[in-house]
Amino acid sequence: MTRSSTTISIAGESISSDQLTERAHAIAGRLVGGGAVAIDATPTLATVVAVVAGMAAGVPVVPVPPDAGPVERDHIFRDSGAVALSESEGSTATSLPELDESAAALIMYTSGTTGLPKGVVLSHRAINAGLDGLADAWAWTADDVLVHGLPLFHVHGLVLGVLGALRVGCRLVHTGKPTPSAYAAARGSLYFGVPTVWSRMCAEPYAARELARARLLVSGSAPLPVPVFESLRSLTGHAPVERYGMTETLITLSTRADGERRPGWVGTPINGVRSRLVDEAGNDVPHDGETMGELCISGGTMFDGYLNQPQATADSFDGKWFRTGDTAVIDDGGFHRIIGRSSIDIIKTGGFKVGAGEVESVLLSHPAVSEVAVVGMKDDDLGQRIVAFVVADGVEALTLISYVADSLSAHKRPREIRFVKELPRNAMGKVQKSLLIE
Ligand code: MCA
Ligand code: AMP
């Protein structure tokens, strides 16, 4: 998969593609023929080596958020059946089998509206199709120097940000954390960030101006606010490229390096992807730039299903069309604009997807809590911030916040707890979350 020009630098450590292949293959020899391997996905070279090793061995790799607490970690290990891998286990370099493109390469855990996160099974073929489509859309070549500091347990940082660099054969500088000063110092040609990263960048104009020398700035994982788009353009001279995707479908829509970049819009399907907009009855709605519908996607970047959840997999498709759960419009030129999620229970905070139900279950397991409703409130920095409305007796807000951070991953913790006497409910007894958000 790698080409010889590639160098990867993470957190001050660098490795050439030849060294990476050598280290990864030493581990891979031991994994061939085995089951899924779980990787503690810290932003380090060890993670990259381990991911490449698992993929080269043809076994599914399960990246685990390094700060996942016991509830989340136990679920991921139990559901995937994965065995933890540590690099020190490697020793023998044996010949590796021919890769089966249709085999599972990654199992990535993503939150849903209720319950614990689901394992999204992604094949080598889907990953390669997605990366080739993006290379075409962004004119991404081996001459680029890719810079980002995104986590390595999600599609954005791992698939685009590491496997993308390896497939294209370009240099990668991972900054550890996506801070404005680190992005400015890295002197790349191609930068990836979630909207929170770009808005923090614009808040530090001296750092932002350093990006003027880059070729392309790319935003994704959540809506990029129009003022941030405009501010980036005026500070760097670059209108950012916006792209849209999901863990399940990989990245499917993007504006192009050689095309129009329109604030608030995410462009057209990449090569090999088709989109469709449907109303509640499943009928196509007009592409007039105004009529909203549910965005459906089909094409070669599609996942193989949710692990161990055939019903959830079947429910998410209408024939060959994957139902994204995102509301969108398409204009007569085929440009897409994402309006928002159809479910109030899916929160996007700092580009992380968090299911309200998962956080609610943890809070309800605290002995002092009797009722809870978790919502996403508009937030200038994070897009949405997690707020928990709680009916409880004799517990501090900070205790509950830490309780969630310790049980799940830290980014799933509420930023704010609002103690209330009761929750607003409708006649059926269902909590009216829209009233809480108002
Ligand atoms: C704070 N911390 C705590 C607590 N409070 N830890 C435990 N308990 C607490 N009560 C710690 C955190 O762990 C962290 O530690 C530090 O404080 C800062 O935390 P936080 O404020 O949450 O971080 P942030 O600075 O607000 O993070 C902003 C961010 C981050 C860097 C933009 O949100 C981020 O990396 N987002 C990227 C999400 C992403 O990659 N999404 C892609 C999904 P420490 O500093 O030690 O770690 S894939 C996807 O969406 C699709 C496919 C797509 O389209 O891409
Ligand atoms: P995830 O499950 O973490 O892969 O998140 C996928 C979701 O992120 C999508 O369903 C969208 O709601 C959201 N998303 C990703 N990219 C964008 C974007 N460019 N604009 C708006 N929303 C986005």
Side-chain angles (χ1 to χ4, degrees):
M1 194 178 194
T2 60
R3 295 192 194 149
S4 57
S5 59
T6 319
T7 326
I8 295 191
S9 310
I10 301 194
E13 275 190 290
S14 292
I15 195 171
S16 71
S17 69
D18 289 346
Q19 291 166 322
L20 173 61
T21 305
E22 197 181 317
R23 272 174 68 178
H25 283 201
I27 299 173
R30 292 188 152 213
L31 304 178
V32 173
V37 289
I39 289 166
D40 186 31
T42 52
T44 58
L45 217 43
T47 297
V48 175
V49 171
V51 170
V52 173
M55 288 177 67
V59 299
V61 171
V62 184
V64 182
D67 67 342
V71 173
E72 197 170 339
R73 185 173 293 270
D74 291 353
H75 166 66
I76 292 175
F77 275 90
R78 201 176 312 118
D79 186 58
S80 66
V83 176
L85 173 81
S86 75
E87 198 189 343
S88 57
E89 285 172 32
S91 57
T92 45
T94 46
S95 62
L96 298 173
E98 187 78 5
L99 254 191
D100 174 4
E101 285 272 296
S102 62
L106 294 173
I107 302 173
M108 314 260 327
Y109 278 80
T110 189
S111 299
T113 46
T114 55
L116 289 158
K118 297 195 281 285
V120 171
V121 180
L122 293 162
S123 67
H124 293 266
R125 182 178 291 132
I127 291 170
N128 291 341
L131 294 173
D132 292 348
L134 293 179
D136 168 68
W138 302 341
W140 182 6
T141 70
D143 293 333
D144 276 306
V145 177
L146 171 64
V147 176
H148 72 91
L150 298 165
L152 300 188
F153 49 88
H154 279 311
V155 162
H156 198 163
L158 183 62
V159 176
L160 277 59
V162 174
L163 303 181
L166 294 175
R167 185 155 179 89
V168 167
C170 77
R171 269 186 62 201
L172 164 66
V173 179
H174 189 285
T175 59
K177 285 266 173 187
T179 60
S181 56
Y183 272 38
R187 297 181 164 238
S189 64
L190 175 63
Y191 283 82
F192 293 168
V194 297
T196 302
V197 168
W198 294 124
S199 113
R200 291 180 184 183
M201 193 89 216
C202 292
E204 295 189 30
Y206 283 103
R209 285 195 193 100
E210 290 293 316
L211 269 46
R213 68 181 90 225
R215 182 179 71 80
L216 208 67
L217 312 181
V218 183
S219 180
S221 303
L224 183 69
V226 172
V228 179
F229 181 109
E230 296 300 357
S231 170
L232 258 187
R233 170 152 55 191
S234 75
L235 287 165
T236 66
H238 298 293
V241 157
E242 287 182 71
R243 95 300 179 285
Y244 159 90
M246 291 183 77
T247 305
E248 290 89 335
T249 63
L250 299 178
I251 309 310
T252 50
L253 306 172
S254 185
T255 55
R256 298 180 58 88
D258 60 1
E260 181 192 358
R261 303 182 207 159
R262 196 189 304 168
W265 295 71
V266 294
T268 53
I270 64 165
N271 279 347
V273 168
R274 291 176 62 207
S275 70
R276 201 181 155 194
L277 214 51
V278 298
D279 63 18
E280 276 173 15
N283 300 315
D284 288 280
V285 306
H287 295 184
D288 55 10
E290 284 178 11
T291 311
M292 292 187 230
E294 182 180 10
L295 181 63
C296 300
I297 294 286
S298 80
T301 64
M302 196 59 64
F303 73 137
D304 290 332
Y306 297 112
L307 189 68
N308 305 325
Q309 302 213 35
Q311 194 56 51
T313 305
D315 292 347
S316 65
F317 282 92
D318 180 3
K320 66 175 183 177
W321 294 97
F322 176 76
R323 305 178 49 186
T324 65
D326 287 307
T327 304
V329 300
I330 304 179
D331 77 3
D332 54 7
F335 248 56
H336 293 60
R337 173 175 159 79
I338 309 298
I339 307 293
R341 297 286 313 174
S342 16
S343 170
I344 203 165
D345 286 322
I346 296 283
I347 301 167
K348 263 271 159 160
T349 178
F352 287 112
K353 180 163 159 178
V354 181
E358 191 184 357
V359 181
E360 286 162 356
S361 300
V362 169
L363 284 169
L364 278 173
S365 75
H366 191 283
V369 173
S370 52
E371 285 182 64
V372 61
V374 166
V375 297
M377 298 276 219
K378 195 173 163 2
D379 186 276
D380 286 343
D381 179 45
L382 296 168
Q384 286 183 304
R385 72 177 184 285
I386 302 175
V387 178
F389 289 80
V390 175
V391 182
D393 195 17
V395 65
E396 303 269 332
L398 276 180
T399 307
L400 292 181
I401 290 171
S402 298
Y403 186 67
V404 176
D406 294 344
S407 306
L408 304 172
S409 302
H411 67 262
K412 295 182 177 175
R413 72 190 187 278
R415 302 292 171 129
E416 195 184 330
I417 303 277
R418 296 197 193 167
F419 290 106
V420 289
K421 285 213 172 63
E422 58 181 5
L423 296 171
R425 292 181 187 273
N426 65 15
M428 311 290 289
K430 191 173 167 353
V431 177
Q432 293 174 293
K433 290 196 174 181
S434 51
L435 293 181
L436 293 173
I437 291 171
E438 281 162 21

